[in-house]
Short mmCIF file of all heavy atoms in Angstrom, two decimals:
data_model
loop_
_atom_site.label_atom_id
_atom_site.label_comp_id
_atom_site.label_asym_id
_atom_site.label_seq_id
_atom_site.Cartn_x
_atom_site.Cartn_y
_atom_site.Cartn_z
N MET W 153 -9.27 18.52 46.72
CA MET W 153 -8.23 19.39 47.26
C MET W 153 -8.50 20.85 46.89
O MET W 153 -8.26 21.77 47.68
CB MET W 153 -6.86 18.97 46.74
CG MET W 153 -6.36 17.63 47.30
SD MET W 153 -6.19 17.58 49.10
CE MET W 153 -7.77 16.88 49.60
N ALA W 154 -9.05 21.05 45.70
CA ALA W 154 -9.41 22.42 45.30
C ALA W 154 -10.55 22.96 46.15
O ALA W 154 -10.62 24.17 46.42
CB ALA W 154 -9.78 22.44 43.82
N ASP W 155 -11.44 22.07 46.59
CA ASP W 155 -12.57 22.49 47.42
C ASP W 155 -12.15 22.80 48.85
O ASP W 155 -12.89 23.47 49.58
CB ASP W 155 -13.65 21.40 47.44
CG ASP W 155 -14.34 21.23 46.10
OD1 ASP W 155 -14.28 22.17 45.29
OD2 ASP W 155 -14.91 20.14 45.87
N PHE W 156 -10.97 22.28 49.27
CA PHE W 156 -10.48 22.49 50.64
C PHE W 156 -9.07 23.08 50.58
O PHE W 156 -8.08 22.38 50.86
CB PHE W 156 -10.52 21.18 51.42
CG PHE W 156 -11.90 20.65 51.66
CD1 PHE W 156 -12.49 19.77 50.76
CD2 PHE W 156 -12.62 21.05 52.77
CE1 PHE W 156 -13.77 19.29 50.97
CE2 PHE W 156 -13.91 20.58 52.99
CZ PHE W 156 -14.49 19.71 52.09
N PRO W 157 -8.96 24.34 50.22
CA PRO W 157 -7.65 24.95 49.99
C PRO W 157 -6.78 25.06 51.24
O PRO W 157 -5.57 25.26 51.10
CB PRO W 157 -8.00 26.34 49.44
CG PRO W 157 -9.39 26.61 49.93
CD PRO W 157 -10.07 25.29 49.96
N THR W 158 -7.35 24.95 52.44
CA THR W 158 -6.51 24.98 53.64
C THR W 158 -5.83 23.63 53.89
O THR W 158 -4.84 23.57 54.62
CB THR W 158 -7.34 25.36 54.88
OG1 THR W 158 -8.39 24.41 55.08
CG2 THR W 158 -7.94 26.76 54.71
N ILE W 159 -6.36 22.57 53.28
CA ILE W 159 -5.74 21.25 53.42
C ILE W 159 -4.67 21.03 52.37
O ILE W 159 -3.59 20.49 52.64
CB ILE W 159 -6.81 20.14 53.33
CG1 ILE W 159 -7.78 20.24 54.51
CG2 ILE W 159 -6.18 18.75 53.29
CD1 ILE W 159 -8.92 19.24 54.46
N ALA W 160 -4.96 21.44 51.15
CA ALA W 160 -4.09 21.13 50.00
C ALA W 160 -2.61 21.45 50.24
O ALA W 160 -1.74 20.63 49.87
CB ALA W 160 -4.60 21.85 48.76
N PRO W 161 -2.23 22.60 50.83
CA PRO W 161 -0.80 22.89 51.00
C PRO W 161 -0.07 21.90 51.91
O PRO W 161 1.16 21.81 51.85
CB PRO W 161 -0.80 24.30 51.62
CG PRO W 161 -2.11 24.88 51.25
CD PRO W 161 -3.07 23.74 51.25
N HIS W 162 -0.81 21.17 52.75
CA HIS W 162 -0.19 20.21 53.65
C HIS W 162 0.05 18.85 52.99
O HIS W 162 0.78 18.02 53.54
CB HIS W 162 -1.08 19.99 54.88
CG HIS W 162 -1.23 21.20 55.75
ND1 HIS W 162 -0.34 21.52 56.74
CD2 HIS W 162 -2.18 22.17 55.76
CE1 HIS W 162 -0.73 22.64 57.34
NE2 HIS W 162 -1.84 23.05 56.77
N VAL W 163 -0.55 18.62 51.82
CA VAL W 163 -0.58 17.27 51.23
C VAL W 163 0.62 17.06 50.32
O VAL W 163 0.89 17.85 49.41
CB VAL W 163 -1.88 17.05 50.45
CG1 VAL W 163 -1.87 15.68 49.76
CG2 VAL W 163 -3.09 17.16 51.38
N ARG W 164 1.34 15.96 50.57
CA ARG W 164 2.44 15.57 49.70
C ARG W 164 1.98 14.61 48.62
O ARG W 164 2.45 14.65 47.49
CB ARG W 164 3.56 14.92 50.52
CG ARG W 164 4.80 14.55 49.69
CD ARG W 164 5.93 14.08 50.59
NE ARG W 164 5.57 12.85 51.28
CZ ARG W 164 6.16 12.43 52.40
NH1 ARG W 164 7.08 13.18 52.98
NH2 ARG W 164 5.80 11.29 52.96
N ALA W 165 1.06 13.71 48.96
CA ALA W 165 0.56 12.72 48.00
C ALA W 165 -0.79 12.21 48.46
O ALA W 165 -1.15 12.31 49.64
CB ALA W 165 1.54 11.56 47.87
N ALA W 166 -1.54 11.67 47.49
CA ALA W 166 -2.81 11.00 47.78
C ALA W 166 -2.70 9.56 47.29
O ALA W 166 -2.45 9.33 46.11
CB ALA W 166 -3.98 11.71 47.11
N THR W 167 -2.86 8.61 48.21
CA THR W 167 -2.71 7.19 47.87
C THR W 167 -4.08 6.52 47.83
O THR W 167 -4.86 6.64 48.78
CB THR W 167 -1.83 6.48 48.92
OG1 THR W 167 -0.53 7.09 48.93
CG2 THR W 167 -1.69 5.00 48.59
N LEU W 168 -4.35 5.83 46.73
CA LEU W 168 -5.60 5.08 46.62
C LEU W 168 -5.37 3.69 47.19
O LEU W 168 -4.53 2.93 46.68
CB LEU W 168 -6.05 5.00 45.16
CG LEU W 168 -7.44 4.39 44.94
CD1 LEU W 168 -8.52 5.23 45.60
CD2 LEU W 168 -7.74 4.26 43.44
N VAL W 169 -6.10 3.35 48.24
CA VAL W 169 -5.92 2.09 48.96
C VAL W 169 -6.92 1.06 48.45
O VAL W 169 -8.13 1.29 48.52
CB VAL W 169 -6.08 2.30 50.48
CG1 VAL W 169 -5.88 0.99 51.23
CG2 VAL W 169 -5.10 3.36 50.98
N ALA W 170 -6.40 -0.05 47.94
CA ALA W 170 -7.25 -1.16 47.47
C ALA W 170 -8.28 -0.70 46.45
O ALA W 170 -9.36 -1.29 46.35
CB ALA W 170 -7.93 -1.85 48.65
#
Side-chain angles (χ1 to χ4, degrees):
M153 291 300 95
D155 292 339
F156 294 91
T158 60
I159 295 176
H162 294 274
V163 177
R164 183 172 65 201
T167 300
L168 187 62
V169 180

